[in-house]
């Protein structure tokens, strides 16, 4: 069966990646027939309407899915397509309540024109009542117009499609996790929409263990926990996780959303001095937004020159054991840190993922595409990892952070 997915016209390069990931999570056989970043409509082939519901029920970037009844470049072509493709389905909807709608992208219709289009479907043998609220079935005419069609005075769309509404998505969950309503955030807390999309692309699901090595205030583990996974995290700065305590802390954020049972634990560590054993594959997914840029002040535990400051190493071993486990024996001791190369950190992330991810587990992370000197940063690679997808988000005018899920 052919279906039409209506996407939100945002984060365009992430949309198809999310849907394909959800097909893997739900075990749905998905074939993409036609898709373009320039259009909010995606045409797919699925086994059934139930499969379509499963596909979009936890999607963040999709809005709805519709059973495709017809398509054409003109209204007459659309009617011919509907008659040819669906005449055998009409008796099933003869007595049911229904309503019609028109969804125009980059174009507009007057009320009179909209009514005329709806009336042109009078050949459909629907005898049930028309209900504008809670009908049994919703039928929609989707119109795709050329760019700037209204100011240019273009009279007709490029294409028209007709579909029956099957199910909506979980896009409204973005408001639930809105950072403006969260009890504890920092300047680098990841946007709720992108956190949820990252979790979807990483295949977060019930029964899985997900880890964020740069957890901060917990945006990524919270998103993974929303989809049923158990979230774990660490950060070089324990203060970012502890906050003020209570509701003003990372655990407090989990409790705010009723996800406390899905928080495994968090601990202070950096990726180069982690207490996590490397000889076992435990993580189903690793999701993170590694620090970069001047504001982040990228650091790892250690000293610039051990020969010049041997007393710092001795004090660290005595008070914090920071060379091995980064566990704080003295609560007021601040372990020394040294500068850390961003490119070295990317290599360390991939090595860590290769050593600790289960088979077919995914690493899903953010990185800039260029540095402050506009030098392009290549997508990192590892012989034990396969690149699944790279999604680009335009950031201001010259910075393009990318999300690269790797499994």
């Amino acid at each position: 069966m052919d279906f039409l997915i209506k996407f939100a016209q945002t984060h365009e390069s992430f949309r198809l990646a999310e849907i394909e990931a959800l097909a893997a999570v739900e075990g749905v056989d998905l074939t993409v027939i036609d898709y373009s970043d320039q259009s909010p409509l995606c045409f797919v082939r699925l086994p059934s309407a139930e499969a379509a519901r499963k596909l979009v029920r936890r999607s963040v970037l999709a809005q709805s899915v519709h059973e495709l009844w017809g398509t054409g470049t003109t209204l007459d072509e659309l009617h011919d397509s509907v008659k040819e493709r669906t005449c055998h389905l009409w008796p099933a909807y003869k007595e049911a309540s229904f309503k019609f709608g028109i969804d125009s992208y980059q174009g507009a219709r007057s009320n009179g024109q909209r009514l005329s289009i709806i009336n042109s479907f009078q050949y459909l043998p629907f005898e049930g009542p028309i209900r504008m609220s809670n009908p049994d079935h919703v039928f929609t005419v989707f119109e795709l117009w050329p760019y700037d069609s209204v100011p240019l005075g273009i009279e007709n769309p490029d294409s028209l499609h007709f579909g029956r509404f099957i199910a909506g998505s979980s896009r409204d969950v973005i408001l639930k996790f809105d950072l403006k309503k969260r009890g504890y955030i920092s300047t680098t807390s990841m946007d709720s929409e992108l956190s949820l999309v990252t979790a979807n692309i990483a295949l977060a699901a019930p029964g899985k263990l997900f880890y964020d090595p740069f957890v901060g205030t917990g945006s990524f583990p919270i998103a993974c926990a929303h989809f049923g996974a158990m979230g774990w995290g660490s950060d070089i700065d324990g203060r970012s996780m502890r906050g003020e305590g209570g509701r003003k802390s990372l655990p407090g954020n989990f409790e705010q959303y009723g996800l406390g049972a899905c928080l495994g634990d968090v601990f202070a560590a950096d990726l180069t001095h982690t207490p996590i054993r490397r000889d076992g594959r435990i993580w189903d997914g690793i999701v993170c937004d590694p620090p970069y840029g001047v504001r982040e002040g990228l650091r790892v535990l250690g000293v610039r020159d051990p020969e010049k400051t041997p007393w710092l190493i001795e004090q660290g071993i005595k008070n914090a054991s920071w060379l091995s486990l980064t566990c704080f024996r003295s609560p007021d001791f601040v372990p020394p840190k040294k500068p850390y190369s961003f490119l070295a950190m990317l290599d360390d992330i991939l090595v860590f993922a290769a050593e600790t991810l289960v088979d077919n587990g995914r690493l899903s992370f953010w990185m800039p595409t260029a540095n402050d000197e506009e030098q392009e940063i290549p997508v990192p690679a590892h012989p034990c990892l396969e690149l699944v997808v790279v999604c680009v988000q335009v950031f201001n005018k010259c910075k393009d952070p990318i999300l690269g899920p790797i499994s």
Side-chain angles (χ1 to χ4, degrees):
M1 299 176 65
D2 291 348
F3 295 86
L4 179 157
I5 298 175
K6 171 69 184 300
F7 282 113
Q9 196 63 8
T10 182
H11 303 306
E12 291 83 357
S13 71
F14 293 77
R15 300 184 306 191
L16 190 59
E18 186 198 35
I19 285 295
E20 291 177 336
L22 292 179
V25 169
E26 300 289 354
V28 171
D29 184 13
L30 168 71
T31 301
V32 178
I33 300 173
D34 184 48
Y35 172 75
S36 169
D37 285 353
Q38 305 304 312
S39 168
L41 304 184
C42 176
F43 300 91
V44 300
R45 186 160 294 140
L46 298 165
S48 64
E50 180 58 31
R53 292 187 184 91
K54 291 172 63 178
L55 181 65
V56 304
R57 63 185 176 184
R58 53 177 273 185
S59 174
V60 177
L61 297 179
Q63 293 179 334
S64 56
V65 62
H66 306 254
E67 184 180 57
L68 186 62
W69 278 35
T71 184
T73 57
T74 66
L75 188 58
D76 288 338
E77 285 186 12
L78 177 63
H79 288 314
D80 291 340
S81 178
V82 171
K83 293 173 183 177
E84 179 182 353
R85 296 172 60 130
T86 65
C87 61
H88 64 287
L89 300 176
W90 297 350
Y93 307 97
K94 184 175 182 179
E95 304 296 335
S97 62
F98 66 95
K99 79 171 183 179
F100 275 69
I102 296 180
D103 187 315
S104 299
Y105 176 66
Q106 296 186 154
R109 295 280 195 182
S110 66
N111 289 336
Q113 290 174 324
R114 295 166 68 90
L115 182 60
S116 176
I117 292 174
I118 292 173
N119 287 336
S120 69
F121 287 88
Q122 288 181 346
Y123 57 86
L124 293 174
F126 297 165
E127 299 178 3
I130 298 174
R131 291 180 183 167
M132 303 309 293
S133 178
N134 298 320
D136 294 326
H137 302 283
V138 177
F139 297 90
T140 305
V141 178
F142 295 92
E143 296 183 330
L144 296 179
W145 291 71
Y147 180 70
D148 268 354
S149 60
V150 174
L152 293 176
I154 298 175
E155 297 182 354
N156 296 300
D158 287 335
S159 62
L160 301 93
H161 314 277
F162 185 65
R164 180 178 69 89
F165 177 82
I166 298 298
S169 68
S170 292
R171 187 160 175 77
D172 57 347
V173 78
I174 297 172
L175 297 178
K176 175 182 177 181
F177 291 98
D178 188 352
L179 293 183
K180 295 179 182 178
K181 303 175 184 178
R182 188 170 298 177
Y184 175 58
I185 62 172
S186 70
T187 56
T188 57
S189 295
M190 177 60 75
D191 169 75
S192 63
E193 181 177 14
L194 293 175
S195 295
L196 292 162
V197 172
T198 302
N200 269 337
I201 294 178
L203 311 183
K208 294 185 176 183
L209 301 180
F210 272 69
Y211 172 61
D212 182 355
F214 311 97
V215 70
T217 61
S219 291
F220 286 124
I222 286 172
C224 295
H226 170 69
F227 295 122
M230 181 71 73
W232 297 72
S234 65
D235 201 287
I236 191 172
D237 187 354
R239 295 171 298 179
S240 65
M241 298 176 288
R242 295 190 298 269
E244 300 175 12
R247 297 185 62 183
K248 296 289 186 178
S249 66
L250 186 153
N253 284 340
F254 272 79
E255 295 297 336
Q256 175 181 343
Y257 301 116
L259 297 173
C262 291
L263 174 60
D265 205 352
V266 292
F267 52 93
D270 71 49
L271 200 62
T272 63
H273 298 86
T274 177
I276 297 175
R277 296 178 59 177
R278 302 293 190 96
D279 57 354
R281 299 176 180 272
I282 59 174
W283 304 122
D284 295 284
I286 298 172
V287 289
C288 59
D289 180 19
Y292 56 86
V294 175
R295 180 177 66 173
E296 297 293 341
L298 188 57
R299 296 287 188 274
V300 292
L301 296 175
V303 295
R304 290 176 181 267
D305 190 343
E307 295 183 358
K308 291 184 178 180
T309 55
W311 60 272
L312 268 178
I313 297 179
E314 294 178 5
Q315 187 177 12
I317 295 174
K318 177 181 178 180
N319 292 321
S321 293
W322 57 271
L323 286 177
S324 55
L325 297 180
T326 325
C327 58
F328 297 98
R329 297 177 182 174
S330 176
D332 59 350
F333 176 75
V334 178
K337 302 177 181 66
K338 63 181 179 180
Y340 187 30
S341 163
F342 179 75
L343 295 179
M345 179 182 61
L346 290 182
D347 290 338
D348 287 340
I349 291 173
L350 267 62
V351 170
F352 177 81
E355 294 175 343
T356 62
L357 281 174
V358 301
D359 290 344
N360 297 315
R362 285 198 176 186
L363 164 64
S364 187
F365 67 95
W366 288 77
M367 59 169 281
T369 61
N371 60 18
D372 295 336
E373 288 76 36
E374 297 306 311
Q375 296 173 324
E376 184 176 349
I377 300 176
V379 177
H382 189 281
C384 296
L385 300 174
E386 176 187 359
L387 181 64
V388 176
V389 65
V390 174
C391 307
V392 180
Q393 180 200 17
V394 175
F395 184 64
N396 292 333
K397 294 183 179 180
C398 59
K399 296 290 185 66
D400 295 338
I402 69 171
L403 170 65
I406 301 175
S407 66

